[in-house]
Short mmCIF file of all heavy atoms in Angstrom, two decimals:
data_model
loop_
_atom_site.label_atom_id
_atom_site.label_comp_id
_atom_site.label_asym_id
_atom_site.label_seq_id
_atom_site.Cartn_x
_atom_site.Cartn_y
_atom_site.Cartn_z
N PRO A 148 134.40 9.89 -6.66
CA PRO A 148 135.07 10.89 -7.49
C PRO A 148 134.69 12.30 -7.03
O PRO A 148 133.59 12.55 -6.58
CB PRO A 148 134.56 10.62 -8.89
CG PRO A 148 133.36 9.76 -8.76
CD PRO A 148 133.45 9.08 -7.43
N SER A 149 135.65 13.22 -7.18
CA SER A 149 135.39 14.59 -6.76
C SER A 149 134.45 15.28 -7.74
O SER A 149 134.32 14.89 -8.89
CB SER A 149 136.70 15.38 -6.66
OG SER A 149 137.21 15.65 -7.94
N LYS A 150 133.82 16.34 -7.28
CA LYS A 150 132.91 17.09 -8.11
C LYS A 150 133.62 17.79 -9.25
O LYS A 150 133.03 18.05 -10.28
CB LYS A 150 132.16 18.12 -7.26
CG LYS A 150 131.27 17.50 -6.22
CD LYS A 150 130.64 18.59 -5.36
CE LYS A 150 129.89 17.96 -4.20
NZ LYS A 150 129.33 18.98 -3.32
N THR A 151 134.91 18.10 -9.06
CA THR A 151 135.65 18.82 -10.09
C THR A 151 135.82 17.99 -11.35
O THR A 151 135.98 18.55 -12.42
CB THR A 151 137.04 19.26 -9.59
OG1 THR A 151 137.80 18.10 -9.23
CG2 THR A 151 136.94 20.20 -8.42
N MET A 152 135.76 16.69 -11.24
CA MET A 152 135.93 15.83 -12.41
C MET A 152 134.78 16.01 -13.40
O MET A 152 134.92 15.74 -14.57
CB MET A 152 136.02 14.37 -12.00
CG MET A 152 137.22 14.08 -11.12
SD MET A 152 138.73 14.67 -11.85
CE MET A 152 139.59 13.17 -12.04
N ASN A 153 133.64 16.50 -12.93
CA ASN A 153 132.47 16.66 -13.79
C ASN A 153 132.41 18.03 -14.44
O ASN A 153 131.56 18.27 -15.28
CB ASN A 153 131.19 16.43 -12.98
CG ASN A 153 131.11 15.02 -12.44
OD1 ASN A 153 131.60 14.09 -13.06
ND2 ASN A 153 130.53 14.87 -11.27
N LEU A 154 133.27 18.94 -14.05
CA LEU A 154 133.23 20.31 -14.56
C LEU A 154 134.46 20.60 -15.41
O LEU A 154 135.56 20.15 -15.10
CB LEU A 154 133.19 21.31 -13.40
CG LEU A 154 132.01 21.22 -12.45
CD1 LEU A 154 132.18 22.22 -11.31
CD2 LEU A 154 130.71 21.48 -13.19
N THR A 155 134.25 21.40 -16.44
CA THR A 155 135.40 21.87 -17.23
C THR A 155 136.14 22.91 -16.41
O THR A 155 135.63 23.44 -15.42
CB THR A 155 134.94 22.51 -18.55
OG1 THR A 155 134.19 23.69 -18.25
CG2 THR A 155 134.09 21.54 -19.37
N GLN A 156 137.34 23.24 -16.84
CA GLN A 156 138.11 24.26 -16.15
C GLN A 156 137.36 25.59 -16.17
O GLN A 156 137.33 26.32 -15.17
CB GLN A 156 139.49 24.42 -16.77
CG GLN A 156 140.35 25.43 -16.03
CD GLN A 156 141.75 25.53 -16.58
OE1 GLN A 156 142.05 25.08 -17.68
NE2 GLN A 156 142.64 26.13 -15.83
N GLU A 157 136.75 25.91 -17.30
CA GLU A 157 135.99 27.15 -17.41
C GLU A 157 134.82 27.18 -16.43
O GLU A 157 134.56 28.21 -15.79
CB GLU A 157 135.47 27.33 -18.85
CG GLU A 157 136.55 27.60 -19.87
CD GLU A 157 137.25 26.33 -20.37
OE1 GLU A 157 136.84 25.20 -20.01
OE2 GLU A 157 138.25 26.47 -21.10
N GLN A 158 134.14 26.06 -16.26
CA GLN A 158 133.03 25.98 -15.32
C GLN A 158 133.52 26.14 -13.88
O GLN A 158 132.86 26.79 -13.06
CB GLN A 158 132.27 24.66 -15.48
CG GLN A 158 131.48 24.58 -16.76
CD GLN A 158 130.95 23.19 -17.02
OE1 GLN A 158 131.61 22.18 -16.75
NE2 GLN A 158 129.75 23.12 -17.58
N GLN A 159 134.66 25.56 -13.58
CA GLN A 159 135.24 25.72 -12.25
C GLN A 159 135.61 27.17 -11.97
O GLN A 159 135.36 27.69 -10.88
CB GLN A 159 136.48 24.84 -12.08
CG GLN A 159 136.17 23.38 -11.87
CD GLN A 159 137.42 22.65 -11.47
OE1 GLN A 159 138.04 22.95 -10.45
NE2 GLN A 159 137.81 21.67 -12.28
N ILE A 160 136.20 27.83 -12.95
CA ILE A 160 136.58 29.24 -12.79
C ILE A 160 135.35 30.09 -12.53
O ILE A 160 135.33 30.92 -11.61
CB ILE A 160 137.37 29.74 -14.02
CG1 ILE A 160 138.74 29.06 -14.09
CG2 ILE A 160 137.51 31.27 -14.00
CD1 ILE A 160 139.48 29.26 -15.40
N LEU A 161 134.31 29.89 -13.33
CA LEU A 161 133.08 30.65 -13.14
C LEU A 161 132.46 30.36 -11.77
O LEU A 161 132.00 31.27 -11.08
CB LEU A 161 132.08 30.35 -14.25
CG LEU A 161 132.42 30.91 -15.62
CD1 LEU A 161 131.44 30.39 -16.67
CD2 LEU A 161 132.42 32.43 -15.59
N GLY A 162 132.48 29.11 -11.37
CA GLY A 162 131.93 28.72 -10.07
C GLY A 162 132.70 29.35 -8.92
O GLY A 162 132.12 29.83 -7.95
N LEU A 163 134.02 29.36 -9.03
CA LEU A 163 134.86 29.96 -8.00
C LEU A 163 134.62 31.46 -7.92
O LEU A 163 134.46 32.02 -6.82
CB LEU A 163 136.33 29.66 -8.28
CG LEU A 163 137.36 30.26 -7.33
CD1 LEU A 163 137.08 29.86 -5.87
CD2 LEU A 163 138.76 29.83 -7.74
N CYS A 164 134.57 32.12 -9.06
CA CYS A 164 134.30 33.56 -9.08
C CYS A 164 132.93 33.88 -8.49
O CYS A 164 132.77 34.85 -7.75
CB CYS A 164 134.42 34.11 -10.49
SG CYS A 164 136.10 34.09 -11.14
N HIS A 165 131.96 33.06 -8.82
CA HIS A 165 130.60 33.25 -8.29
C HIS A 165 130.59 33.07 -6.78
O HIS A 165 130.00 33.89 -6.06
CB HIS A 165 129.63 32.27 -8.95
CG HIS A 165 128.26 32.33 -8.39
ND1 HIS A 165 127.39 33.37 -8.63
CD2 HIS A 165 127.60 31.50 -7.55
CE1 HIS A 165 126.27 33.17 -7.97
NE2 HIS A 165 126.37 32.04 -7.31
N ALA A 166 131.22 32.03 -6.28
CA ALA A 166 131.25 31.78 -4.84
C ALA A 166 131.94 32.94 -4.12
O ALA A 166 131.47 33.41 -3.08
CB ALA A 166 131.98 30.47 -4.55
N TYR A 167 133.03 33.43 -4.68
CA TYR A 167 133.77 34.54 -4.08
C TYR A 167 132.93 35.82 -4.10
O TYR A 167 132.84 36.54 -3.10
CB TYR A 167 135.09 34.74 -4.82
CG TYR A 167 135.95 35.81 -4.24
CD1 TYR A 167 136.69 35.58 -3.09
CD2 TYR A 167 136.03 37.07 -4.84
CE1 TYR A 167 137.49 36.58 -2.54
CE2 TYR A 167 136.83 38.06 -4.30
CZ TYR A 167 137.56 37.81 -3.15
OH TYR A 167 138.34 38.80 -2.62
N ALA A 168 132.30 36.09 -5.23
CA ALA A 168 131.46 37.29 -5.33
C ALA A 168 130.29 37.24 -4.37
O ALA A 168 129.94 38.25 -3.76
CB ALA A 168 130.98 37.46 -6.77
N LEU A 169 129.69 36.07 -4.23
CA LEU A 169 128.56 35.92 -3.31
C LEU A 169 129.00 36.24 -1.88
O LEU A 169 128.33 36.98 -1.17
CB LEU A 169 128.01 34.49 -3.38
CG LEU A 169 126.92 34.14 -2.38
CD1 LEU A 169 125.62 34.85 -2.75
CD2 LEU A 169 126.70 32.64 -2.33
N LYS A 170 130.14 35.71 -1.49
CA LYS A 170 130.61 35.91 -0.12
C LYS A 170 131.02 37.35 0.14
O LYS A 170 130.77 37.89 1.21
CB LYS A 170 131.76 34.95 0.19
CG LYS A 170 131.29 33.50 0.29
CD LYS A 170 132.44 32.54 0.47
CE LYS A 170 132.00 31.11 0.44
NZ LYS A 170 131.14 30.71 1.52
N THR A 171 131.64 38.00 -0.85
CA THR A 171 132.09 39.38 -0.63
C THR A 171 130.98 40.40 -0.84
O THR A 171 130.93 41.40 -0.13
CB THR A 171 133.29 39.72 -1.54
OG1 THR A 171 132.94 39.50 -2.91
CG2 THR A 171 134.51 38.89 -1.17
N SER A 172 130.09 40.17 -1.78
CA SER A 172 129.04 41.14 -2.09
C SER A 172 127.79 40.95 -1.24
O SER A 172 127.35 41.87 -0.57
CB SER A 172 128.65 41.07 -3.56
OG SER A 172 129.74 41.40 -4.37
N CYS A 173 127.23 39.76 -1.30
CA CYS A 173 125.96 39.51 -0.61
C CYS A 173 126.14 39.27 0.88
O CYS A 173 125.35 39.76 1.69
CB CYS A 173 125.25 38.32 -1.24
SG CYS A 173 124.82 38.60 -2.96
N LEU A 174 127.16 38.51 1.23
CA LEU A 174 127.37 38.19 2.65
C LEU A 174 128.28 39.19 3.35
O LEU A 174 128.53 39.07 4.54
CB LEU A 174 127.94 36.77 2.78
CG LEU A 174 127.05 35.66 2.21
CD1 LEU A 174 127.74 34.30 2.34
CD2 LEU A 174 125.69 35.64 2.89
N LYS A 175 128.81 40.15 2.59
CA LYS A 175 129.64 41.25 3.13
C LYS A 175 130.88 40.76 3.88
O LYS A 175 131.33 41.38 4.83
CB LYS A 175 128.82 42.17 4.04
CG LYS A 175 127.57 42.71 3.40
CD LYS A 175 127.89 43.63 2.26
CE LYS A 175 126.59 44.26 1.74
NZ LYS A 175 126.69 44.73 0.41
N MET A 176 131.44 39.62 3.44
CA MET A 176 132.67 39.13 4.04
C MET A 176 133.85 39.89 3.43
O MET A 176 133.79 40.28 2.27
CB MET A 176 132.85 37.63 3.75
CG MET A 176 131.76 36.75 4.36
SD MET A 176 131.92 35.02 3.84
CE MET A 176 133.18 34.47 4.97
N ASN A 177 134.91 40.09 4.22
CA ASN A 177 136.10 40.70 3.62
C ASN A 177 136.77 39.64 2.74
O ASN A 177 136.48 38.45 2.83
CB ASN A 177 137.04 41.29 4.67
CG ASN A 177 137.70 40.25 5.54
OD1 ASN A 177 138.26 39.26 5.05
ND2 ASN A 177 137.68 40.45 6.84
N TYR A 178 137.63 40.09 1.87
CA TYR A 178 138.19 39.18 0.86
C TYR A 178 138.99 38.04 1.47
O TYR A 178 138.99 36.93 0.96
CB TYR A 178 138.98 39.93 -0.20
CG TYR A 178 140.03 40.88 0.32
CD1 TYR A 178 141.32 40.44 0.57
CD2 TYR A 178 139.73 42.22 0.54
CE1 TYR A 178 142.28 41.30 1.03
CE2 TYR A 178 140.70 43.10 1.00
CZ TYR A 178 141.97 42.64 1.24
OH TYR A 178 142.94 43.50 1.71
N GLN A 179 139.68 38.30 2.59
CA GLN A 179 140.46 37.23 3.23
C GLN A 179 139.54 36.15 3.80
O GLN A 179 139.78 34.96 3.61
CB GLN A 179 141.34 37.80 4.33
CG GLN A 179 142.46 38.66 3.79
CD GLN A 179 143.13 39.47 4.88
OE1 GLN A 179 142.47 40.02 5.74
NE2 GLN A 179 144.45 39.54 4.82
N ASP A 180 138.49 36.57 4.50
CA ASP A 180 137.56 35.60 5.08
C ASP A 180 136.79 34.86 4.01
O ASP A 180 136.50 33.68 4.14
CB ASP A 180 136.58 36.31 6.03
CG ASP A 180 137.26 36.79 7.31
OD1 ASP A 180 138.36 36.29 7.64
OD2 ASP A 180 136.68 37.68 7.97
N ALA A 181 136.46 35.56 2.93
CA ALA A 181 135.74 34.91 1.83
C ALA A 181 136.59 33.80 1.21
O ALA A 181 136.10 32.69 0.99
CB ALA A 181 135.37 35.95 0.76
N PHE A 182 137.87 34.09 0.98
CA PHE A 182 138.73 33.06 0.39
C PHE A 182 138.93 31.89 1.36
O PHE A 182 138.87 30.73 0.97
CB PHE A 182 140.08 33.64 -0.04
CG PHE A 182 140.93 32.62 -0.73
CD1 PHE A 182 140.67 32.28 -2.04
CD2 PHE A 182 141.96 31.97 -0.07
CE1 PHE A 182 141.43 31.30 -2.68
CE2 PHE A 182 142.72 31.01 -0.69
CZ PHE A 182 142.45 30.67 -2.01
N LYS A 183 139.15 32.22 2.62
CA LYS A 183 139.34 31.17 3.62
C LYS A 183 138.09 30.28 3.71
O LYS A 183 138.18 29.06 3.80
CB LYS A 183 139.64 31.77 4.99
CG LYS A 183 139.93 30.75 6.06
CD LYS A 183 140.19 31.41 7.40
CE LYS A 183 141.68 31.44 7.63
NZ LYS A 183 142.05 31.96 8.95
N SER A 184 136.93 30.90 3.65
CA SER A 184 135.67 30.16 3.69
C SER A 184 135.55 29.21 2.49
O SER A 184 135.12 28.07 2.63
CB SER A 184 134.49 31.14 3.70
OG SER A 184 133.27 30.46 3.59
N ILE A 185 135.95 29.69 1.33
CA ILE A 185 135.90 28.84 0.13
C ILE A 185 136.86 27.66 0.30
O ILE A 185 136.50 26.53 -0.02
CB ILE A 185 136.24 29.66 -1.13
CG1 ILE A 185 135.07 30.61 -1.45
CG2 ILE A 185 136.52 28.74 -2.32
CD1 ILE A 185 135.38 31.62 -2.53
N GLN A 186 138.06 27.92 0.81
CA GLN A 186 139.02 26.84 1.01
C GLN A 186 138.47 25.77 1.95
O GLN A 186 138.73 24.59 1.75
CB GLN A 186 140.32 27.38 1.60
CG GLN A 186 141.19 28.10 0.63
CD GLN A 186 142.48 28.53 1.27
OE1 GLN A 186 142.48 29.25 2.27
NE2 GLN A 186 143.60 28.10 0.70
N ILE A 187 137.73 26.18 2.97
CA ILE A 187 137.21 25.23 3.96
C ILE A 187 135.89 24.62 3.52
O ILE A 187 135.72 23.41 3.49
CB ILE A 187 137.06 25.93 5.33
CG1 ILE A 187 138.45 26.32 5.86
CG2 ILE A 187 136.32 25.03 6.32
CD1 ILE A 187 138.41 27.26 7.05
N ASP A 188 134.93 25.48 3.17
CA ASP A 188 133.58 25.03 2.89
C ASP A 188 133.41 24.37 1.52
O ASP A 188 132.50 23.57 1.32
CB ASP A 188 132.58 26.20 2.99
CG ASP A 188 132.56 26.82 4.38
OD1 ASP A 188 132.92 26.12 5.35
OD2 ASP A 188 132.19 28.00 4.48
N GLU A 189 134.25 24.73 0.60
CA GLU A 189 134.10 24.24 -0.78
C GLU A 189 135.18 23.21 -1.14
O GLU A 189 135.42 22.96 -2.32
CB GLU A 189 134.17 25.41 -1.76
CG GLU A 189 133.19 26.52 -1.50
CD GLU A 189 131.78 26.20 -1.93
OE1 GLU A 189 131.58 25.28 -2.72
OE2 GLU A 189 130.86 26.90 -1.47
N VAL A 190 135.82 22.63 -0.12
CA VAL A 190 136.88 21.67 -0.37
C VAL A 190 136.34 20.55 -1.29
O VAL A 190 135.25 20.05 -1.10
CB VAL A 190 137.46 21.10 0.94
CG1 VAL A 190 136.47 20.24 1.67
CG2 VAL A 190 138.75 20.32 0.67
N GLY A 191 137.08 20.24 -2.31
CA GLY A 191 136.67 19.22 -3.26
C GLY A 191 135.84 19.74 -4.42
O GLY A 191 135.66 19.04 -5.41
N ASN A 192 135.35 20.97 -4.31
CA ASN A 192 134.55 21.53 -5.40
C ASN A 192 135.41 22.18 -6.48
O ASN A 192 134.96 22.33 -7.60
CB ASN A 192 133.55 22.56 -4.87
CG ASN A 192 132.45 21.92 -4.07
OD1 ASN A 192 132.23 20.73 -4.11
ND2 ASN A 192 131.75 22.74 -3.30
N PHE A 193 136.62 22.58 -6.09
CA PHE A 193 137.51 23.26 -7.02
C PHE A 193 138.88 22.62 -7.00
O PHE A 193 139.35 22.16 -5.96
CB PHE A 193 137.64 24.76 -6.66
CG PHE A 193 136.32 25.48 -6.64
CD1 PHE A 193 135.76 25.89 -5.45
CD2 PHE A 193 135.64 25.74 -7.81
CE1 PHE A 193 134.55 26.56 -5.42
CE2 PHE A 193 134.42 26.39 -7.80
CZ PHE A 193 133.87 26.80 -6.60
N ASP A 194 139.52 22.59 -8.15
CA ASP A 194 140.86 22.04 -8.29
C ASP A 194 141.83 22.86 -7.44
O ASP A 194 141.75 24.09 -7.39
CB ASP A 194 141.25 22.11 -9.77
CG ASP A 194 142.61 21.52 -10.03
OD1 ASP A 194 142.73 20.28 -9.95
OD2 ASP A 194 143.54 22.30 -10.30
N LEU A 195 142.73 22.18 -6.76
CA LEU A 195 143.70 22.83 -5.89
C LEU A 195 144.56 23.84 -6.65
O LEU A 195 144.86 24.93 -6.14
CB LEU A 195 144.58 21.79 -5.20
CG LEU A 195 145.60 22.32 -4.20
CD1 LEU A 195 144.91 23.13 -3.09
CD2 LEU A 195 146.39 21.19 -3.60
N LYS A 196 144.95 23.52 -7.88
CA LYS A 196 145.76 24.45 -8.68
C LYS A 196 144.97 25.72 -8.98
O LYS A 196 145.52 26.82 -8.98
CB LYS A 196 146.21 23.79 -9.97
CG LYS A 196 147.27 22.73 -9.78
CD LYS A 196 147.56 22.02 -11.07
CE LYS A 196 148.84 22.54 -11.65
NZ LYS A 196 149.25 21.82 -12.86
N LEU A 197 143.68 25.57 -9.21
CA LEU A 197 142.83 26.74 -9.47
C LEU A 197 142.75 27.62 -8.23
O LEU A 197 142.88 28.84 -8.32
CB LEU A 197 141.43 26.29 -9.91
CG LEU A 197 140.42 27.41 -10.13
CD1 LEU A 197 140.87 28.37 -11.21
CD2 LEU A 197 139.05 26.83 -10.47
N LEU A 198 142.54 27.00 -7.07
CA LEU A 198 142.48 27.77 -5.82
C LEU A 198 143.79 28.50 -5.56
O LEU A 198 143.79 29.66 -5.14
CB LEU A 198 142.14 26.86 -4.64
CG LEU A 198 140.69 26.40 -4.55
CD1 LEU A 198 140.54 25.37 -3.44
CD2 LEU A 198 139.76 27.57 -4.34
N THR A 199 144.90 27.83 -5.82
CA THR A 199 146.21 28.45 -5.63
C THR A 199 146.39 29.64 -6.56
O THR A 199 146.84 30.71 -6.14
CB THR A 199 147.33 27.41 -5.84
OG1 THR A 199 147.15 26.34 -4.92
CG2 THR A 199 148.71 28.03 -5.64
N SER A 200 146.01 29.47 -7.81
CA SER A 200 146.12 30.56 -8.79
C SER A 200 145.22 31.72 -8.41
O SER A 200 145.60 32.90 -8.53
CB SER A 200 145.75 30.07 -10.19
OG SER A 200 146.68 29.13 -10.64
N PHE A 201 144.01 31.41 -7.93
CA PHE A 201 143.07 32.44 -7.52
C PHE A 201 143.63 33.23 -6.33
O PHE A 201 143.57 34.45 -6.31
CB PHE A 201 141.72 31.81 -7.17
CG PHE A 201 140.60 32.80 -7.00
CD1 PHE A 201 140.05 33.44 -8.09
CD2 PHE A 201 140.09 33.08 -5.74
CE1 PHE A 201 139.01 34.36 -7.94
CE2 PHE A 201 139.05 33.98 -5.58
CZ PHE A 201 138.51 34.63 -6.68
N LYS A 202 144.22 32.51 -5.38
CA LYS A 202 144.81 33.17 -4.21
C LYS A 202 145.97 34.07 -4.64
O LYS A 202 146.10 35.20 -4.16
CB LYS A 202 145.29 32.16 -3.19
CG LYS A 202 145.87 32.82 -1.95
CD LYS A 202 146.27 31.82 -0.90
CE LYS A 202 146.80 32.54 0.33
NZ LYS A 202 147.16 31.60 1.39
N GLU A 203 146.81 33.59 -5.56
CA GLU A 203 147.93 34.39 -6.05
C GLU A 203 147.42 35.67 -6.71
O GLU A 203 148.00 36.75 -6.53
CB GLU A 203 148.78 33.59 -7.02
CG GLU A 203 149.58 32.49 -6.35
CD GLU A 203 150.26 31.55 -7.33
OE1 GLU A 203 150.09 31.71 -8.57
OE2 GLU A 203 150.96 30.65 -6.87
N MET A 204 146.33 35.57 -7.46
CA MET A 204 145.75 36.73 -8.10
C MET A 204 145.23 37.72 -7.05
O MET A 204 145.45 38.92 -7.16
CB MET A 204 144.60 36.30 -9.04
CG MET A 204 144.00 37.43 -9.86
SD MET A 204 142.54 38.27 -9.20
CE MET A 204 141.48 36.99 -8.65
N LEU A 205 144.58 37.20 -6.02
CA LEU A 205 144.08 38.06 -4.94
C LEU A 205 145.22 38.76 -4.22
O LEU A 205 145.14 39.95 -3.91
CB LEU A 205 143.24 37.26 -3.95
CG LEU A 205 141.91 36.73 -4.48
CD1 LEU A 205 141.25 35.84 -3.41
CD2 LEU A 205 140.97 37.86 -4.86
N VAL A 206 146.31 38.03 -3.95
CA VAL A 206 147.48 38.62 -3.30
C VAL A 206 148.08 39.71 -4.19
O VAL A 206 148.42 40.79 -3.71
CB VAL A 206 148.53 37.54 -2.95
CG1 VAL A 206 149.84 38.15 -2.51
CG2 VAL A 206 147.98 36.62 -1.85
N ASP A 207 148.16 39.44 -5.49
CA ASP A 207 148.67 40.45 -6.43
C ASP A 207 147.80 41.71 -6.41
O ASP A 207 148.28 42.80 -6.65
CB ASP A 207 148.71 39.90 -7.85
CG ASP A 207 149.84 38.92 -8.08
OD1 ASP A 207 150.74 38.82 -7.22
OD2 ASP A 207 149.80 38.21 -9.12
N GLN A 208 146.50 41.53 -6.11
CA GLN A 208 145.57 42.65 -6.08
C GLN A 208 145.50 43.33 -4.71
O GLN A 208 144.70 44.22 -4.51
CB GLN A 208 144.17 42.19 -6.50
CG GLN A 208 144.09 41.68 -7.92
CD GLN A 208 144.41 42.76 -8.93
OE1 GLN A 208 143.94 43.88 -8.83
NE2 GLN A 208 145.23 42.42 -9.91
N GLY A 209 146.29 42.85 -3.74
CA GLY A 209 146.37 43.52 -2.46
C GLY A 209 145.90 42.74 -1.26
O GLY A 209 145.97 43.24 -0.15
N MET A 210 145.42 41.51 -1.44
CA MET A 210 145.02 40.71 -0.29
C MET A 210 146.26 40.22 0.44
O MET A 210 147.20 39.75 -0.20
CB MET A 210 144.20 39.49 -0.72
CG MET A 210 143.72 38.65 0.47
SD MET A 210 142.79 37.18 -0.01
CE MET A 210 144.11 35.97 -0.12
N LYS A 211 146.28 40.36 1.74
CA LYS A 211 147.40 39.83 2.52
C LYS A 211 147.22 38.34 2.67
O LYS A 211 146.16 37.87 3.04
CB LYS A 211 147.46 40.52 3.87
CG LYS A 211 147.78 41.99 3.77
CD LYS A 211 147.80 42.65 5.12
CE LYS A 211 148.20 44.09 5.05
NZ LYS A 211 147.18 44.97 4.51
N ALA A 212 148.26 37.59 2.38
CA ALA A 212 148.20 36.12 2.41
C ALA A 212 147.95 35.59 3.81
O ALA A 212 148.15 36.20 4.79
CB ALA A 212 149.48 35.52 1.86
#
C-alpha cells in the first residue's frame, strides 16, 4: 500500500507544503526544480490529484509549466 493511504488529506497538504518550502528555502532550489524534484523523489508519498492541484496553483502564481 502507498504511504498516502495512511495520511489524511490535510496531512498530505502540510507534507507537500513542507517539502516544497524545504527545497526552495533551505536548499535554494528554484520553484520549477523544487516541484520537479518532489514529483520524482516523492513519488507515492502524495496523491496525484494533490500534486496536480499544487502545480496548477504554482502556475497560477507565475511558475512556468
